[in-house]
Amino acid sequence: MDYQHLFDEINTAVRPVLAGGRAADYIPALAQVDPTRFGFAVADLAAHTCGTGDWRIPFSIQSISKVFTLALVLAADGDRLWTRIGKEPSGAPFNSLAQLERASGIPRNPFVNAGALIVTDRLLTLTGDARGALRDFLRAESGNPAVDFDPAVAGSEQRHGHRNAALAHLLADYRRLDNPVDDVLEHYFWQCSLTMSCHDLALATGFLARHGLRADDSRLLTRSEAKRVNAVMLVGGTYDSAGEFAHRVGLPAKSGVGGGIVAVIPGRCTLCTWGPAIDRHGNSLAGVTALDLFTTRTGWSVF
Ligand code: DON
């Protein structure tokens, strides 16, 4: 497919959105990013990539990391994980304490923060170094050995992550964590601070388009585990606007407050967009606009 015409159209469509929005500021280090940045990348099943705008500029992946920690834990544990975490849409903010309390410490899905903390806890038990295992996996899948943490972002979140600390303590109170709260939080904050470009993230998400096969053709997930990750991305990857996102874009996707969104077209390709200005749900305004246009013009959605 010749993407150039579509990329031009997308670049034009996102301009007004870029001018209007603001980057996340609850993690002060993220507020310093230029809100007019925009990138879009496509990677096919054979890892050929193309893109537009700032698609090779690294940014903070934030909650997009939750897709990859989930995949690493599923690869080791299979369906056992689902006894600790639900697979339902949250319908509540990604950092809701009230929802976790009502469910006695069983998070709605692995992408709300409480669910992601449990996944990180499990990855820590499995590997002894959750953040290191994640970084190595992302380096391998993206083919970029320079993928790394941003200590300024990790430190900034550590200093301001009161709500995540509260969630982790609530989980510990319900005996839902195997590791000390401070260790789980530290690995979680560092995993969110990884920086990658749209190009790297589109490649790293490829195993979900290849039904579980990694970049080197080895199997990470069974076909049905890959389906489960895509399914939970569809119902929970964009939090309490997952319905609106499915309505507009129609793809499994995961957003991060750094302004990135990865999306999967199973059996065809992966997409990654970046635009730092986010809406009140934590999803990139430009990213949703771009993905909406992409699936509308190509007709490629899962529906
Ligand atoms: O837990 C946090 O607050 C962040 N490190 C990640 C949140 C995030 O990206 C939510 N996504 N849209």
Side-chain angles (χ1 to χ4, degrees), residues 233-255 260-264 271 273 279 281 283-285 287-292 295 301 303:
M233 286 167 78
L234 186 75
V235 301
T238 47
Y239 305 110
D240 43 339
S241 74
E244 172 75 11
F245 187 89
H247 186 93
R248 288 182 65 184
V249 179
L251 291 176
K254 183 74 207 82
S255 62
I261 304 179
V262 294
V264 184
L271 313 171
T273 62
D279 64 18
H281 308 289
N283 303 317
S284 165
L285 291 158
V288 177
T289 302
L291 291 166
D292 181 354
T295 54
S301 90
F303 301 109

Coordinates of all heavy atoms in Angstrom, one line a residue, residues 233-255 260-264 271 273 279 281 283-285 287-292 295 301 303:
M233 N -7.1 -5.5 25.3 CA -6.8 -4.1 24.8 C -8.0 -3.4 24.2 O -8.2 -2.3 24.4 CB -5.7 -4.2 23.7 CG -4.3 -4.5 24.2 SD -3.1 -5.0 22.9 CE -2.7 -3.4 22.2
L234 N -8.8 -4.2 23.5 CA -10.0 -3.6 22.9 C -11.0 -3.1 24.0 O -11.5 -2.0 23.9 CB -10.7 -4.7 22.1 CG -11.9 -4.1 21.3 CD1 -11.5 -3.3 20.1 CD2 -12.8 -5.2 20.8
V235 N -11.1 -3.9 25.1 CA -12.1 -3.5 26.1 C -11.5 -2.6 27.2 O -12.3 -1.9 27.9 CB -12.8 -4.7 26.8 CG1 -13.6 -5.6 25.8 CG2 -11.9 -5.5 27.6
G236 N -10.2 -2.6 27.3 CA -9.6 -1.8 28.4 C -8.4 -1.0 28.1 O -7.9 -0.3 29.0
G237 N -7.9 -1.0 26.9 CA -6.6 -0.4 26.5 C -6.7 1.1 26.5 O -5.6 1.7 26.6
T238 N -7.9 1.7 26.4 CA -8.0 3.1 26.4 C -8.9 3.6 27.6 O -9.6 4.6 27.5 CB -8.5 3.7 25.0 OG1 -9.6 2.9 24.6 CG2 -7.4 3.6 24.0
Y239 N -8.9 2.7 28.6 CA -9.6 3.0 29.9 C -11.1 3.3 29.7 O -11.8 2.6 28.9 CB -8.9 4.2 30.6 CG -7.4 3.8 30.7 CD1 -6.4 4.5 30.0 CD2 -7.1 2.8 31.6 CE1 -5.1 4.1 30.2 CE2 -5.7 2.4 31.7 CZ -4.8 3.1 31.0 OH -3.5 2.8 31.1
D240 N -11.5 4.4 30.4 CA -13.0 4.6 30.4 C -13.5 5.3 29.1 O -14.6 5.7 29.0 CB -13.4 5.4 31.6 CG -12.5 6.5 32.0 OD1 -11.3 6.5 31.6 OD2 -12.9 7.5 32.7
S241 N -12.6 5.3 28.1 CA -13.2 5.7 26.8 C -12.9 4.6 25.8 O -12.9 4.8 24.6 CB -12.6 7.1 26.3 OG -11.3 6.9 25.8
A242 N -12.8 3.3 26.3 CA -12.6 2.2 25.4 C -13.8 2.0 24.4 O -13.6 1.7 23.2 CB -12.4 0.9 26.1
G243 N -15.0 2.3 24.8 CA -16.2 2.2 24.0 C -16.1 3.3 22.9 O -16.3 3.0 21.7
E244 N -15.8 4.5 23.2 CA -15.7 5.6 22.3 C -14.5 5.3 21.3 O -14.7 5.5 20.0 CB -15.4 6.9 23.0 CG -15.0 8.1 22.1 CD -16.2 8.7 21.4 OE1 -17.3 8.3 21.8 OE2 -16.0 9.6 20.5
F245 N -13.4 4.7 21.8 CA -12.3 4.4 20.9 C -12.7 3.3 19.9 O -12.4 3.4 18.7 CB -11.1 4.0 21.8 CG -9.8 3.8 21.0 CD1 -9.0 4.9 20.7 CD2 -9.5 2.6 20.4 CE1 -7.8 4.7 20.0 CE2 -8.3 2.4 19.7 CZ -7.5 3.5 19.4
A246 N -13.3 2.2 20.4 CA -13.8 1.1 19.5 C -14.7 1.7 18.5 O -14.7 1.3 17.3 CB -14.4 0.0 20.4
H247 N -15.6 2.6 18.9 CA -16.6 3.2 18.0 C -15.9 3.9 16.9 O -16.2 3.8 15.7 CB -17.4 4.2 18.9 CG -18.5 4.8 18.3 ND1 -19.8 4.3 18.3 CD2 -18.6 6.0 17.6 CE1 -20.6 5.1 17.7 NE2 -19.9 6.1 17.2
R248 N -14.8 4.7 17.2 CA -14.2 5.5 16.2 C -13.1 4.8 15.4 O -12.9 5.0 14.2 CB -13.5 6.7 16.9 CG -14.5 7.8 17.4 CD -13.8 9.0 18.0 NE -13.0 9.7 17.0 CZ -12.3 10.8 17.3 NH1 -12.3 11.2 18.6 NH2 -11.6 11.4 16.4
V249 N -12.3 3.9 16.1 CA -11.2 3.3 15.5 C -11.4 1.8 15.2 O -11.0 1.3 14.1 CB -9.9 3.5 16.4 CG1 -8.7 2.9 15.8 CG2 -9.7 5.0 16.7
G250 N -12.0 1.1 16.1 CA -12.3 -0.3 15.9 C -11.1 -1.2 15.9 O -11.0 -2.2 15.1
L251 N -10.1 -0.9 16.7 CA -8.9 -1.8 16.8 C -8.6 -2.0 18.3 O -8.7 -1.1 19.1 CB -7.7 -1.2 16.2 CG -7.8 -1.0 14.6 CD1 -6.5 -0.3 14.2 CD2 -7.8 -2.4 14.0
P252 N -7.9 -3.2 18.6 CA -7.3 -3.3 19.9 C -6.2 -2.3 20.0 O -5.4 -2.1 19.1 CB -6.7 -4.7 19.9 CG -7.1 -5.4 18.7 CD -7.7 -4.3 17.8
A253 N -6.1 -1.6 21.2 CA -5.0 -0.5 21.3 C -4.7 -0.3 22.7 O -5.4 -0.7 23.6 CB -5.6 0.8 20.7
K254 N -3.5 0.3 22.9 CA -3.1 0.7 24.3 C -2.5 2.1 24.2 O -1.6 2.4 23.4 CB -2.1 -0.3 24.8 CG -1.7 0.0 26.3 CD -2.8 -0.4 27.2 CE -2.7 0.4 28.5 NZ -3.3 1.8 28.4
S255 N -3.0 2.9 25.1 CA -2.5 4.3 25.2 C -1.6 4.5 26.4 O -1.6 3.7 27.3 CB -3.7 5.3 25.3 OG -4.4 5.0 26.5
G260 N 1.5 8.4 23.5 CA 1.6 7.3 22.5 C 0.4 6.4 22.5 O -0.3 6.3 23.6
I261 N 0.1 5.8 21.4 CA -1.0 4.8 21.3 C -0.4 3.7 20.3 O 0.0 4.0 19.2 CB -2.3 5.3 20.7 CG1 -2.9 6.4 21.6 CG2 -3.3 4.1 20.7 CD1 -4.2 7.0 21.0
V262 N -0.5 2.4 20.8 CA -0.2 1.3 19.8 C -1.5 0.7 19.5 O -2.4 0.6 20.3 CB 0.8 0.3 20.4 CG1 2.2 0.8 20.6 CG2 0.3 -0.4 21.7
A263 N -1.7 0.2 18.2 CA -2.9 -0.4 17.8 C -2.5 -1.6 16.9 O -1.5 -1.6 16.2 CB -3.8 0.5 17.0
V264 N -3.3 -2.7 17.0 CA -3.0 -3.9 16.3 C -4.1 -4.2 15.2 O -5.3 -4.2 15.6 CB -2.9 -5.1 17.3 CG1 -2.5 -6.4 16.6 CG2 -2.0 -4.7 18.4
L271 N 0.3 -0.4 14.4 CA 0.4 1.0 14.2 C 0.9 1.6 15.5 O 0.6 1.1 16.6 CB -1.0 1.6 13.9 CG -1.8 0.9 12.8 CD1 -3.2 1.5 12.8 CD2 -1.1 1.1 11.5
T273 N 1.1 5.8 17.2 CA 1.0 7.2 17.0 C 1.5 7.9 18.2 O 1.5 7.3 19.3 CB -0.5 7.7 16.8 OG1 -1.2 7.3 18.0 CG2 -1.1 7.0 15.6
D279 N -6.4 13.6 26.4 CA -7.7 14.0 26.9 C -7.9 13.6 28.3 O -6.9 13.1 28.9 CB -8.8 13.4 26.0 CG -8.8 11.8 26.1 OD1 -8.2 11.3 27.0 OD2 -9.4 11.2 25.2
H281 N -9.2 11.2 29.7 CA -9.1 9.8 30.0 C -7.7 9.3 29.9 O -7.4 8.2 30.3 CB -9.9 9.0 29.0 CG -11.3 9.4 28.9 ND1 -12.3 9.2 29.9 CD2 -12.0 10.1 27.9 CE1 -13.4 9.8 29.5 NE2 -13.3 10.3 28.3
N283 N -5.8 9.6 26.9 CA -5.5 9.2 25.5 C -5.2 10.4 24.7 O -5.8 11.4 24.8 CB -6.8 8.5 24.9 CG -7.3 7.3 25.8 OD1 -6.4 6.5 26.2 ND2 -8.5 7.2 26.0
S284 N -4.2 10.2 23.8 CA -3.7 11.2 22.9 C -4.8 11.7 22.0 O -5.4 10.9 21.2 CB -2.5 10.7 22.1 OG -2.2 11.6 21.0
L285 N -5.0 13.0 22.0 CA -6.0 13.6 21.1 C -5.6 13.4 19.6 O -6.5 13.0 18.8 CB -6.1 15.1 21.4 CG -6.8 15.5 22.7 CD1 -6.3 16.9 23.1 CD2 -8.3 15.4 22.7
G287 N -3.5 11.2 18.4 CA -3.4 9.8 18.1 C -4.8 9.2 17.8 O -4.9 8.5 16.8
V288 N -5.8 9.5 18.6 CA -7.1 9.0 18.3 C -7.6 9.5 16.9 O -8.2 8.8 16.1 CB -8.1 9.3 19.4 CG1 -9.5 8.8 19.1 CG2 -7.7 8.7 20.7
T289 N -7.4 10.8 16.7 CA -7.8 11.4 15.4 C -7.1 10.7 14.2 O -7.8 10.4 13.2 CB -7.4 12.9 15.4 OG1 -8.1 13.6 16.5 CG2 -7.8 13.6 14.1
A290 N -5.8 10.5 14.4 CA -5.1 9.9 13.3 C -5.5 8.4 13.1 O -5.7 8.0 11.9 CB -3.6 9.9 13.6
L291 N -5.7 7.7 14.1 CA -6.1 6.3 14.0 C -7.5 6.1 13.4 O -7.8 5.3 12.6 CB -6.0 5.5 15.3 CG -4.6 5.3 15.8 CD1 -4.5 4.9 17.3 CD2 -3.8 4.3 15.0
D292 N -8.4 7.1 13.8 CA -9.8 7.1 13.3 C -9.7 7.3 11.8 O -10.3 6.5 11.0 CB -10.5 8.3 14.0 CG -11.9 8.5 13.5 OD1 -12.4 7.7 12.6 OD2 -12.6 9.3 14.1
T295 N -8.1 4.0 9.9 CA -9.0 2.9 9.8 C -10.2 3.2 8.9 O -10.7 2.3 8.1 CB -9.5 2.3 11.1 OG1 -10.1 3.3 11.9 CG2 -8.4 1.7 11.9
S301 N -10.2 -2.6 10.1 CA -10.5 -2.6 11.5 C -10.8 -4.1 11.8 O -10.9 -4.9 10.9 CB -11.6 -1.6 11.9 OG -12.8 -2.3 11.9
F303 N -13.6 -5.0 12.7 CA -15.1 -5.1 12.5 C -15.5 -5.0 11.1 O -14.9 -4.3 10.3 CB -15.8 -4.0 13.4 CG -15.5 -4.1 14.8 CD1 -14.7 -3.2 15.4 CD2 -16.0 -5.2 15.6 CE1 -14.4 -3.3 16.8 CE2 -15.6 -5.3 16.9 CZ -14.9 -4.3 17.5

